[in-house]
Amino acid sequence: MNEIKKDKFGTVVNKISFPLLILFTIATLIPIYILIKVSISKPADVLTQHPTFLIHNFTTKHWSKVLASGKLWPAFNRSFTVASFTALFAIIIATPASYVISRLDKKVKYVVILSLFFTRMFPNVGIALPISVKFIKWNLIDSNLGLVLAHLIEQLPFITWILVGTFETIPVDLEKSAMIDGASRIRALISIVIPIATPGIAVAALYVWLNSWNEFTYALYLSLSENTLPLQVYYYINRGGFFQTATYATILAIPVALITYALQKHLKSDSLGGAIK
């Protein structure tokens, strides 16, 4: 009787899963489409009580204004530099630390990971202010280094947590076999463990890069003369620049799409399992 119920439930799930997947995809893509539509539509098609869903009057006027404003590339360059160095330093710091944590006893490992997340128990708005005061004393305000350090404070617990899970899936026996064959522990780590963990490291790096690229709170506290791209979007929101806001937000999303596409081959759930086999 239970098996019959399970079969019926499985049949229903199979029938509705594909339509639900289509609905989820449409719900995800519609806001992006509207964002792009606003950035390339004439004001008369958008600023009306009943705006149309499709694009009727295409214009590059808003993009031309943004590109000619002289404020795009400094903000873009700063966001890209800070996000890239944050991801790089996070990988360099978190990879060896995560490997060590993953090989600890379960009880100790739990305490260490929990302590890492202690700072994440408070909202960014709450801890950004004391960090900003300290950075002013260290002359790190309005500098890329200050932003990178602030973003690392936020991202290191998460990337360490992700990488600990990655290293835990790699059997210790692989390292022992390499060491029996004459390799040192460092050599086994570099030649055996790291290559197998590459998909997990790529995912963690992408996660950190995206979070740093979109980060707003620390940038608001630590930026004075030069904005990041999220701050630039916020600047036009405050000014009521409807179309410039949409254009900047579209530009903000382009590198995210490109980098995600470039790393898509590593974003498969079975990549690590296949490597271990």
Side-chain angles (χ1 to χ4, degrees):
M1 190 66 180
N2 289 334
E3 290 183 356
I4 294 174
K5 286 184 178 178
K6 286 182 179 177
D7 289 340
K8 287 183 178 178
F9 180 74
T11 304
V12 172
V13 170
N14 288 333
K15 285 183 178 178
I16 66 172
S17 59
F18 187 68
L20 284 176
L21 179 62
I22 293 176
L23 287 175
F24 176 77
T25 303
I26 292 174
T28 304
L29 292 178
I30 282 179
I32 300 172
Y33 166 74
I34 294 175
L35 182 70
I36 297 172
K37 174 183 178 292
V38 172
S39 73
I40 58 177
S41 294
K42 290 187 176 179
D45 294 339
V46 177
L47 300 178
T48 174
Q49 285 187 341
H50 304 288
T52 58
F53 183 74
L54 298 176
I55 302 169
H56 293 289
N57 297 301
F58 176 82
T59 178
T60 59
K61 178 182 174 184
H62 315 305
W63 282 74
S64 299
K65 278 187 177 179
V66 168
L67 293 173
S69 67
K71 296 179 180 178
L72 170 64
W73 297 115
F76 185 97
N77 182 53
R78 187 168 201 204
S79 287
F80 190 83
T81 301
V82 170
S84 300
F85 276 101
T86 300
L88 178 64
F89 289 151
I91 289 296
I92 292 173
I93 296 170
T95 299
S98 303
Y99 168 76
V100 172
I101 294 172
S102 70
R103 297 303 187 242
L104 293 175
D105 181 74
K106 281 187 177 180
K107 293 181 180 178
V108 178
K109 188 190 312 178
Y110 175 76
V111 173
V112 172
I113 293 176
L114 194 64
S115 64
L116 287 174
F117 277 100
F118 180 75
T119 56
R120 305 310 313 142
M121 296 176 185
F122 304 94
N124 281 346
V125 174
I127 60 175
L129 181 59
I131 288 173
S132 301
V133 172
K134 185 62 72 176
F135 278 18
I136 290 173
K137 291 181 180 177
W138 294 344
N139 201 26
L140 289 173
I141 206 81
D142 206 25
S143 68
N144 288 345
L145 178 61
L147 270 182
V148 169
L149 293 176
H151 289 184
L152 284 174
I153 293 171
E154 183 181 17
Q155 299 304 322
L156 277 177
F158 288 110
I159 189 175
T160 304
W161 181 49
I162 293 172
L163 291 180
V164 167
T166 299
F167 285 123
E168 281 180 336
T169 62
I170 301 174
V172 180
D173 290 342
L174 286 177
E175 298 171 61
K176 290 182 178 177
S177 299
M179 294 170 71
I180 290 172
D181 290 338
S184 64
R185 179 172 287 276
I186 299 296
R187 179 72 177 175
L189 176 65
I190 295 174
S191 302
I192 305 295
V193 178
I194 297 296
I196 295 176
T198 298
I201 295 173
V203 171
L206 177 61
Y207 176 81
V208 171
W209 194 93
L210 292 177
N211 282 345
S212 179
W213 176 258
N214 293 317
E215 203 281 331
F216 176 78
T217 306
Y218 286 106
L220 183 63
Y221 276 91
L222 299 174
S223 299
L224 296 177
S225 61
E226 191 173 293
N227 287 339
T228 60
L229 267 183
L231 283 183
Q232 201 64 26
V233 175
Y234 179 66
Y235 170 78
Y236 278 106
I237 290 174
N238 278 341
R239 291 188 62 185
F242 198 70
F243 297 96
Q244 287 93 337
T245 300
T247 304
Y248 266 105
T250 304
I251 294 170
L252 186 68
I254 291 174
V256 175
L258 293 176
I259 290 178
T260 304
Y261 179 78
L263 292 177
Q264 62 171 328
K265 64 180 181 181
H266 297 298
L267 304 180
K268 298 175 182 176
S269 60
D270 60 343
S271 294
L272 190 56
I276 291 173
K277 290 176 184 177

